[in-house]
Amino acid sequence: MKKILETERLILRELEENNNDDYIALCSILKDKETMYAYEHGFSDEEVIQWFNNQINRYKKYGFGLWACILKENNEFIGQCGLTMQKIDKKIHNSYELLEIGYLFNKKYWHKGFAIEAALACKNYAFNILNADRVYSIIRDNNISSQKIAIRNGMKIIDTVIKHYYNMDMPHYIFCIEKQ
């Protein structure tokens, strides 16, 4: 297990490539249509495998990705939060690729402060470990809960972008915070 961060209630660690428990916990989140409403569908088995493998590949390529959020009190995998490089169709701060804080949690753990706790830790990691000048969150216009987390994380909307996904145009807000 490669632990990346620790907060008051969570351990953020890399997904383990051959860990069936990680895969099953991820399935319970990604396959749930209610949890994945911003994506307009619960994921198929193939999409979960691709998501899982994308994280492993991100760890290898960048040294970061979406990490497993493990609840300290019972060692339960309750969600993911981390940093990813996201390509966008417009230039923001001289780049078409943004360092993004992303998060998704099992709906049993919504509205308990876990997402903001993990997102704050990821912001600090981006600024203090990766020495990033800025960090972003790219959030669907209908995902009010995630927008509130970005705002609580000190971010402000700086632009919008349309993502084309699942045969739909999906408006997204681009939130940003600069290193102080």
Side-chain angles (χ1 to χ4, degrees), residues 60-98:
K60 292 173 183 172
K61 181 175 181 177
Y62 299 108
F64 55 83
L66 292 178
W67 298 305
C69 293
I70 308 300
L71 191 56
K72 285 181 182 179
E73 71 181 40
N74 61 11
N75 215 31
E76 186 177 353
F77 182 130
I78 66 168
Q80 281 193 294
C81 187
L83 298 160
T84 59
M85 296 304 299
Q86 292 293 325
K87 290 180 175 34
I88 57 169
D89 292 337
K90 59 168 51 175
K91 202 174 213 181
I92 304 286
H93 295 126
N94 298 315
S95 182
Y96 290 99
E97 196 171 47
L98 305 178

